Amino acid sequence: AGTGGGKEGRAGRLILTDMDTIEKSNLSRQLLFRDHDVGEFKSVAARAAMSRFSSGCRVETHTCRVGEDEEGGPFDDDFWSSGCDVVLNALDNVEARLFVDSQCVAHGLGLIDAGTLGPKG
């Protein structure tokens, strides 16, 4: 999931999270990753790729799950209420997608969903 920063000192910042690591099979369908990225967290490798494209882009990365059961993580109520203006969602987990959707509705945030199987995950 990626979120676009904008409020409370996060202006111009992209916030990415993905708990998955890159596998060889990802390389043919995920354009940001290269052979040397295999084994790296996807969010961390995406930040490196973004810096190659746009060195001025500020990217904050996390390697945690997104969801209601993630106590102490970065995506708490404070994040949703003051941490972003728009959410770009590319989750492949229905539970996490429903959580993100509910947070966007509750906090009046724009949501762009790019899940791989439509509303199924």
Side-chain angles (χ1 to χ4, degrees), residues 1-3 14-18 43 46-47 50 59-62 75:
T3 60
L14 182 64
I15 304 165
L16 303 173
T17 188
D18 199 320
S43 57
R47 176 181 56 199
M50 292 284 297
V59 180
E60 176 183 326
T61 60
H62 301 281
F75 304 108

Side-chain angles (χ1 to χ4, degrees), residues 7 11 17 31-33 52 54 72 97 109-110:
K7 299 177 185 173
T17 188
L31 302 175
L32 290 178
F33 307 137
R52 289 192 300 273
S54 177
R97 289 176 76 182
L109 301 172

Side-chain angles (χ1 to χ4, degrees), residues 5-58:
K7 299 177 185 173
E8 301 295 322
R10 291 185 175 208
R13 184 179 309 190
L14 182 64
I15 304 165
L16 303 173
T17 188
D18 199 320
M19 60 184 256
D20 289 336
T21 56
I22 299 166
E23 299 174 11
K24 186 79 169 165
S25 64
N26 299 138
L27 300 179
S28 64
R29 60 184 174 6
Q30 296 177 348
L31 302 175
L32 290 178
F33 307 137
R34 303 292 180 257
D35 286 328
H36 65 270
D37 294 322
V38 171
E40 296 289 329
F41 281 105
K42 290 179 179 179
S43 57
V44 173
R47 176 181 56 199
M50 292 284 297
S51 70
R52 289 192 300 273
F53 296 124
S54 177
S55 61
C57 184
R58 297 184 315 154

Side-chain angles (χ1 to χ4, degrees), residues 69-93:
D69 58 342
E70 301 309 310
E71 300 238 356
F75 304 108
D76 58 12
D77 281 335
D78 288 339
F79 172 84
W80 296 104
S81 63
S82 66
C84 61
D85 292 323
V86 66
V87 175
L88 308 175
N89 190 3
L91 292 163
D92 57 4
N93 173 308

